[in-house]
Amino acid sequence: RGLPSDIDVGTVVRSHYGPIGRKSNTTAVATVMETNTKPFGRRRVKLRFHDNNDGDNGGGNVAEGLVRREQYVPIDWIVINNSSLGESSIGGSSSSSSS
């Protein structure tokens, strides 16, 4: 699976974040900087988070408190807001069940 066609460089999204594959419990607002990266292809996107760190990220994890200016994140960490379905990740996992 790839990014939806309406997400491209410059698009503002909500995304999970985290160091080396450790997904945060919360999301933060970010701008898409790259969608096809040399090291990861289309599996990850480069995001620039609007806030460097929002303090307590709910995870109770020191690693989540690190500055997160720019990160490469898996595309399924980007959250799409479907008004009738609630938030769901691109990769198919959802916070609400729907058929």
Side-chain angles (χ1 to χ4, degrees):
R1 296 184 183 191
L3 288 171
S5 60
D6 60 339
I7 295 181
D8 203 354
V9 173
T11 303
V12 176
V13 298
R14 290 199 70 82
S15 177
H16 293 276
Y17 50 88
I20 312 172
R22 295 188 64 193
K23 185 177 177 180
S24 63
N25 293 328
T26 59
T27 60
V29 177
T31 299
V32 177
M33 303 300 291
E34 294 178 44
T35 59
N36 189 7
T37 63
K38 203 169 195 175
F40 305 114
R42 295 190 181 273
R43 297 172 297 155
R44 291 180 181 248
V45 294
K46 184 177 183 179
L47 300 179
R48 178 183 292 245
F49 287 92
H50 293 193
D51 62 337
N52 291 333
N53 191 336
D54 60 7
D56 178 16
N57 297 317
N61 183 342
V62 174
E64 286 188 26
L66 296 174
V67 173
R68 59 171 184 266
R69 285 178 179 62
E70 293 183 358
Q71 286 188 2
Y72 290 96
V73 301
I75 61 170
D76 62 343
W77 286 14
I78 296 175
V79 176
I80 304 301
N81 187 7
N82 298 320
S83 58
S84 63
L85 300 177
E87 291 184 344
S88 64
S89 296
I90 291 173
S93 60
S94 174
S95 61
S96 65
S97 60
S98 63
S99 301

